Amino acid sequence: MKKCPYCNTLNPDDAEVCENCGKPLKGQMLALVCPNCGKVNALGSRECSVCHTKLSQSHHQLVSREIIPRKNNKRWGYIALIAFGILIALFVYLGGRYTRSPFIPGKIEALEFEYYDGNRKLLYKDYYIFNSTDNLSQTNFSIAYLGKNSSGKNPLR
């Protein structure tokens, strides 16, 4: 049913002009509007077709017959969520690729220590071999001293 906005007369849905005053009905119709979600429901409905809120006949309003598509604002939320996920994956990938733990369990590492004087002149170098074994309960490691300067560097070759 269409309600005339000028004289409040109820007219059939297919009426173009008001039966009482003759003015155009401008594509409006009387419908039940859900107070919870705003969904337009047909007259006589007892509950909202979307959120199932109980409707009373006092919730009727004049609504436009034209269907106006809603803007899809969720699309931007999904795009932002995907972009954020890609950014996190990129940080994890690059962080793991360009950072290196100084000691990898089960691998033998060579250590070189340089000693300088107060004027930043190299005094000597010490050379060590470091081996670590790692299990879930404890970390074990062993270190072997190779020597100073060239005498310590030769065994590394």
Side-chain angles (χ1 to χ4, degrees):
M1 303 271 320
K2 289 183 184 178
K3 184 177 179 184
C4 178
Y6 302 102
C7 67
N8 293 329
T9 301
L10 293 178
N11 296 284
D13 285 339
D14 58 345
E16 297 288 326
V17 294
C18 177
E19 293 175 349
N20 184 36
C21 65
K23 294 193 178 180
L25 295 175
K26 297 182 182 177
Q28 292 185 340
M29 67 178 184
L30 193 62
L32 288 173
V33 179
C34 178
N36 187 32
C37 68
K39 167 74 174 148
V40 176
N41 296 280
L43 286 176
S45 300
R46 294 190 176 177
E47 66 178 27
C48 177
S49 61
V50 174
C51 67
H52 304 289
T53 301
K54 299 292 180 196
L55 298 174
S56 68
Q57 297 304 315
S58 65
H59 292 115
H60 65 274
Q61 295 178 8
L62 276 177
V63 293
S64 175
R65 280 187 159 271
E66 295 92 28
I67 297 173
I68 302 169
R70 296 175 89 184
K71 290 184 178 180
N72 190 359
N73 293 332
K74 289 182 181 179
R75 177 180 52 191
W76 291 110
Y78 292 135
I79 290 171
L81 185 63
I82 290 169
F84 183 69
I86 290 171
L87 189 63
I88 293 296
L90 184 67
F91 278 125
V92 169
Y93 172 73
L94 291 177
R97 187 171 184 198
Y98 292 111
T99 60
R100 181 168 118 15
S101 174
F103 304 113
I104 300 171
K107 184 175 180 185
I108 297 174
E109 301 277 343
L111 302 175
E112 177 184 66
F113 292 99
E114 297 177 344
Y115 298 94
Y116 294 92
D117 65 0
N119 297 327
R120 296 198 177 254
K121 182 181 176 190
L122 180 65
L123 296 175
Y124 63 94
K125 294 181 181 181
D126 277 340
Y127 294 92
Y128 296 88
I129 291 180
F130 178 85
N131 185 11
S132 68
T133 57
D134 191 15
N135 58 26
L136 295 176
S137 62
Q138 63 185 15
T139 300
N140 297 320
F141 60 91
S142 58
I143 297 176
Y145 178 69
L146 297 177
K148 288 185 179 184
N149 297 329
S150 60
S151 66
K153 192 171 188 177
N154 289 335
L156 289 178
R157 293 183 186 176

